[in-house]
Coordinates of all heavy atoms in Angstrom, one line a residue:
L1 N -14.1 -18.1 -5.4 CA -14.8 -19.4 -5.8 C -15.2 -20.1 -4.6 O -14.7 -20.0 -3.5 CB -13.8 -20.2 -6.6 CG -13.4 -19.6 -7.9 CD1 -11.9 -19.0 -7.8 CD2 -13.4 -20.6 -9.1
G2 N -16.3 -20.9 -4.8 CA -16.8 -21.7 -3.7 C -17.7 -21.0 -2.7 O -17.9 -21.5 -1.6
G3 N -18.1 -19.8 -3.0 CA -18.9 -19.0 -2.1 C -19.4 -17.7 -2.7 O -19.0 -17.4 -3.8
D4 N -20.3 -17.1 -2.0 CA -20.8 -15.8 -2.5 C -20.4 -14.7 -1.5 O -20.7 -14.8 -0.3 CB -22.3 -15.8 -2.6 CG -23.0 -14.6 -3.1 OD1 -23.1 -13.6 -2.3 OD2 -23.3 -14.5 -4.3
M5 N -19.7 -13.7 -2.0 CA -19.2 -12.7 -1.1 C -20.2 -12.0 -0.2 O -20.0 -11.8 1.0 CB -18.4 -11.6 -1.9 CG -17.1 -12.2 -2.5 SD -16.1 -10.9 -3.2 CE -15.4 -10.1 -1.8
K6 N -21.4 -11.7 -0.8 CA -22.4 -11.0 0.0 C -23.1 -12.0 0.9 O -23.2 -11.7 2.1 CB -23.5 -10.4 -1.0 CG -22.9 -9.3 -1.9 CD -22.7 -8.1 -1.2 CE -22.4 -6.9 -2.1 NZ -22.1 -5.6 -1.4
L7 N -23.6 -13.1 0.4 CA -24.3 -14.1 1.2 C -23.4 -14.7 2.3 O -23.9 -15.0 3.4 CB -24.9 -15.2 0.4 CG -25.9 -14.8 -0.7 CD1 -26.4 -15.9 -1.5 CD2 -27.1 -14.1 0.0
D8 N -22.2 -14.9 2.1 CA -21.3 -15.5 3.0 C -20.5 -14.5 3.9 O -19.7 -14.9 4.7 CB -20.3 -16.4 2.3 CG -20.9 -17.6 1.6 OD1 -22.0 -18.0 2.1 OD2 -20.4 -18.1 0.6
G9 N -20.8 -13.3 3.7 CA -20.2 -12.2 4.6 C -18.7 -12.2 4.4 O -17.9 -12.2 5.4
L10 N -18.2 -12.1 3.1 CA -16.8 -12.1 2.8 C -16.3 -10.7 2.3 O -17.1 -9.9 1.7 CB -16.5 -13.2 1.8 CG -16.9 -14.6 2.1 CD1 -16.7 -15.5 0.9 CD2 -16.1 -15.1 3.3
K11 N -15.1 -10.5 2.4 CA -14.4 -9.3 1.7 C -13.0 -9.7 1.3 O -12.5 -10.7 1.8 CB -14.4 -8.1 2.7 CG -13.5 -8.4 4.0 CD -13.6 -7.2 4.9 CE -12.8 -7.4 6.1 NZ -12.8 -6.2 7.1
V12 N -12.5 -8.9 0.4 CA -11.1 -9.1 -0.1 C -10.3 -7.9 0.3 O -10.7 -6.8 0.1 CB -11.1 -9.3 -1.6 CG1 -9.7 -9.2 -2.1 CG2 -11.7 -10.7 -2.0
K13 N -9.2 -8.2 0.9 CA -8.2 -7.1 1.4 C -7.0 -7.1 0.4 O -6.4 -8.2 0.2 CB -7.8 -7.4 2.8 CG -6.9 -6.3 3.4 CD -6.5 -6.6 4.8 CE -5.6 -5.5 5.4 NZ -5.3 -5.9 6.8
I14 N -6.7 -5.9 -0.1 CA -5.5 -5.8 -1.0 C -4.5 -5.0 -0.2 O -4.8 -3.9 0.3 CB -5.9 -5.1 -2.3 CG1 -6.8 -6.0 -3.1 CG2 -4.7 -4.8 -3.1 CD1 -8.2 -5.5 -3.2
E15 N -3.3 -5.5 -0.1 CA -2.2 -4.8 0.5 C -1.1 -4.7 -0.5 O -0.6 -5.7 -1.0 CB -1.7 -5.6 1.7 CG -2.7 -5.8 2.8 CD -2.3 -6.8 3.9 OE1 -1.5 -6.3 4.8 OE2 -2.6 -8.0 3.8
I16 N -0.7 -3.5 -0.8 CA 0.4 -3.2 -1.7 C 1.4 -2.4 -0.9 O 1.3 -1.2 -0.7 CB -0.1 -2.4 -2.9 CG1 -1.2 -3.2 -3.6 CG2 1.1 -2.2 -3.9 CD1 -1.8 -2.4 -4.8
G17 N 2.4 -3.1 -0.4 CA 3.4 -2.4 0.5 C 2.6 -1.9 1.7 O 1.9 -2.7 2.4
D18 N 2.6 -0.6 2.0 CA 1.9 0.0 3.2 C 0.5 0.5 2.8 O -0.1 1.0 3.7 CB 2.8 1.1 3.7 CG 4.1 0.7 4.3 OD1 4.1 -0.4 5.0 OD2 5.1 1.3 4.1
Y19 N 0.1 0.3 1.6 CA -1.2 0.7 1.2 C -2.2 -0.4 1.2 O -1.9 -1.5 0.8 CB -1.2 1.3 -0.2 CG -0.1 2.4 -0.4 CD1 1.1 2.0 -1.0 CD2 -0.3 3.7 0.0 CE1 2.1 3.0 -1.2 CE2 0.7 4.6 -0.2 CZ 1.9 4.3 -0.8 OH 2.9 5.2 -0.9
E20 N -3.5 -0.1 1.7 CA -4.5 -1.1 1.9 C -5.8 -0.7 1.3 O -6.1 0.5 1.3 CB -4.6 -1.5 3.4 CG -3.4 -2.1 4.1 CD -3.7 -2.5 5.5 OE1 -4.8 -2.2 6.0 OE2 -2.8 -3.0 6.2
Y21 N -6.6 -1.7 0.9 CA -7.9 -1.4 0.4 C -8.8 -2.6 0.6 O -8.3 -3.8 0.5 CB -7.8 -1.0 -1.1 CG -9.1 -0.6 -1.8 CD1 -9.7 0.6 -1.6 CD2 -9.8 -1.6 -2.6 CE1 -10.9 1.0 -2.2 CE2 -11.0 -1.2 -3.2 CZ -11.5 0.0 -3.0 OH -12.7 0.4 -3.7
E22 N -10.1 -2.5 0.9 CA -11.0 -3.6 1.0 C -12.2 -3.5 0.1 O -12.6 -2.3 -0.2 CB -11.4 -3.7 2.5 CG -10.3 -4.1 3.4 CD -10.8 -4.2 4.9 OE1 -12.0 -3.9 5.1 OE2 -10.0 -4.7 5.7
I23 N -12.7 -4.6 -0.4 CA -13.8 -4.6 -1.3 C -14.7 -5.8 -1.0 O -14.2 -6.9 -0.6 CB -13.3 -4.7 -2.8 CG1 -14.5 -4.6 -3.7 CG2 -12.5 -5.9 -3.0 CD1 -14.0 -4.4 -5.2
D24 N -16.0 -5.6 -1.1 CA -17.0 -6.7 -0.7 C -17.7 -7.3 -1.9 O -18.7 -8.0 -1.8 CB -18.0 -6.1 0.3 CG -18.9 -5.0 -0.3 OD1 -18.7 -4.7 -1.5 OD2 -19.8 -4.5 0.4
H25 N -17.1 -7.1 -3.1 CA -17.7 -7.7 -4.3 C -16.5 -7.9 -5.3 O -15.5 -7.4 -5.2 CB -18.8 -6.9 -4.9 CG -18.3 -5.5 -5.3 ND1 -18.1 -4.5 -4.4 CD2 -18.1 -5.0 -6.6 CE1 -17.7 -3.4 -5.1 NE2 -17.7 -3.7 -6.4
M26 N -16.8 -8.7 -6.3 CA -15.8 -9.0 -7.3 C -15.8 -7.9 -8.4 O -16.8 -7.7 -9.1 CB -16.0 -10.4 -8.0 CG -15.7 -11.5 -7.1 SD -15.6 -13.1 -8.0 CE -17.3 -13.4 -8.4
A27 N -14.7 -7.2 -8.6 CA -14.6 -6.1 -9.6 C -13.1 -5.8 -9.7 O -12.3 -5.9 -8.7 CB -15.4 -4.9 -9.2
P28 N -12.6 -5.4 -10.9 CA -11.3 -5.0 -11.1 C -11.0 -3.7 -10.3 O -11.8 -2.8 -10.3 CB -11.1 -4.8 -12.6 CG -12.2 -5.5 -13.2 CD -13.3 -5.5 -12.2
I29 N -9.9 -3.7 -9.5 CA -9.6 -2.5 -8.7 C -8.4 -1.8 -9.4 O -7.4 -2.4 -9.6 CB -9.2 -3.0 -7.3 CG1 -10.4 -3.7 -6.7 CG2 -8.8 -1.8 -6.4 CD1 -10.0 -4.6 -5.5
R30 N -8.6 -0.5 -9.6 CA -7.5 0.3 -10.2 C -6.8 1.0 -9.1 O -7.4 1.4 -8.1 CB -8.1 1.3 -11.2 CG -8.3 0.8 -12.6 CD -9.5 0.0 -12.8 NE -9.6 -0.3 -14.2 CZ -10.6 -1.0 -14.8 NH1 -11.5 -1.5 -14.0 NH2 -10.7 -1.3 -16.1
I31 N -5.5 1.2 -9.3 CA -4.6 1.9 -8.3 C -3.9 3.0 -9.1 O -3.2 2.6 -10.1 CB -3.7 1.0 -7.6 CG1 -4.4 -0.1 -6.8 CG2 -2.8 1.8 -6.6 CD1 -4.5 -1.4 -7.5
E32 N -3.9 4.2 -8.6 CA -3.2 5.3 -9.3 C -2.2 5.9 -8.3 O -2.3 5.9 -7.1 CB -4.2 6.4 -9.7 CG -5.1 6.1 -10.8 CD -6.0 7.2 -11.2 OE1 -6.2 8.1 -10.4 OE2 -6.4 7.3 -12.4
N33 N -1.1 6.4 -8.9 CA -0.1 7.2 -8.3 C 0.8 6.4 -7.3 O 1.3 7.0 -6.3 CB -0.7 8.4 -7.5 CG -1.6 9.2 -8.4 OD1 -1.3 9.5 -9.6 ND2 -2.7 9.7 -7.9
L34 N 1.0 5.1 -7.5 CA 1.9 4.4 -6.7 C 3.4 4.9 -7.0 O 3.8 5.0 -8.1 CB 1.9 2.9 -7.0 CG 0.9 2.0 -6.2 CD1 1.0 0.6 -6.8 CD2 1.2 2.0 -4.8
P35 N 4.1 5.2 -5.9 CA 5.5 5.6 -6.2 C 6.3 4.5 -6.8 O 6.0 3.3 -6.6 CB 6.0 6.0 -4.7 CG 4.7 6.2 -3.9 CD 3.7 5.3 -4.5
A36 N 7.4 4.8 -7.4 CA 8.3 3.8 -8.0 C 8.9 3.0 -7.0 O 9.1 3.4 -5.8 CB 9.4 4.5 -8.8
G37 N 9.0 1.7 -7.3 CA 9.6 0.8 -6.3 C 9.1 -0.7 -6.5 O 8.3 -0.9 -7.4
E38 N 9.6 -1.6 -5.7 CA 9.2 -3.0 -5.8 C 8.2 -3.2 -4.6 O 8.5 -2.8 -3.5 CB 10.4 -3.9 -5.6 CG 10.1 -5.4 -5.7 CD 11.3 -6.3 -5.7 OE1 12.1 -6.2 -6.6 OE2 11.5 -7.0 -4.7
Y39 N 7.1 -3.9 -5.0 CA 6.0 -4.1 -4.0 C 5.7 -5.6 -3.9 O 5.7 -6.3 -4.9 CB 4.8 -3.3 -4.4 CG 4.9 -1.8 -4.4 CD1 5.4 -1.1 -5.5 CD2 4.6 -1.1 -3.2 CE1 5.5 0.2 -5.5 CE2 4.8 0.3 -3.2 CZ 5.2 1.0 -4.3 OH 5.3 2.3 -4.3
Q40 N 5.3 -6.0 -2.7 CA 4.6 -7.2 -2.5 C 3.1 -7.0 -2.5 O 2.6 -6.2 -1.6 CB 5.0 -7.9 -1.1 CG 6.5 -8.3 -1.1 CD 6.8 -9.5 -2.0 OE1 6.0 -10.5 -2.0 NE2 7.8 -9.4 -2.8
V41 N 2.4 -7.5 -3.4 CA 1.0 -7.4 -3.5 C 0.3 -8.6 -2.9 O 0.5 -9.7 -3.4 CB 0.5 -7.2 -5.0 CG1 -1.0 -7.0 -5.0 CG2 1.2 -6.0 -5.6
K42 N -0.4 -8.4 -1.8 CA -1.0 -9.5 -1.1 C -2.6 -9.3 -1.2 O -3.1 -8.3 -0.8 CB -0.6 -9.6 0.4 CG -1.2 -10.8 1.1 CD -0.8 -10.9 2.5 CE -1.4 -12.1 3.2 NZ -1.0 -12.2 4.6
V43 N -3.2 -10.3 -1.8 CA -4.7 -10.3 -1.9 C -5.2 -11.4 -1.0 O -4.9 -12.6 -1.2 CB -5.1 -10.5 -3.3 CG1 -6.6 -10.4 -3.4 CG2 -4.4 -9.5 -4.2
S44 N -6.0 -11.0 0.0 CA -6.5 -12.0 1.0 C -8.0 -12.0 1.1 O -8.7 -11.0 1.0 CB -6.0 -11.6 2.4 OG -4.6 -11.5 2.4
L45 N -8.6 -13.2 1.2 CA -10.0 -13.4 1.4 C -10.3 -13.5 2.9 O -9.8 -14.4 3.6 CB -10.5 -14.7 0.6 CG -12.0 -14.9 0.7 CD1 -12.8 -13.8 0.0 CD2 -12.3 -16.3 -0.1

């Protein structure tokens, strides 16, 4: 909110434990094959 990811040069970084992924637009991100366990999911702009 408050900006445009493309026009403002933004990206979102997803960190799930030691796994990372980056995306430059708004869309649901699917994750497969995560091992069992407790995770801290951090989503950063």
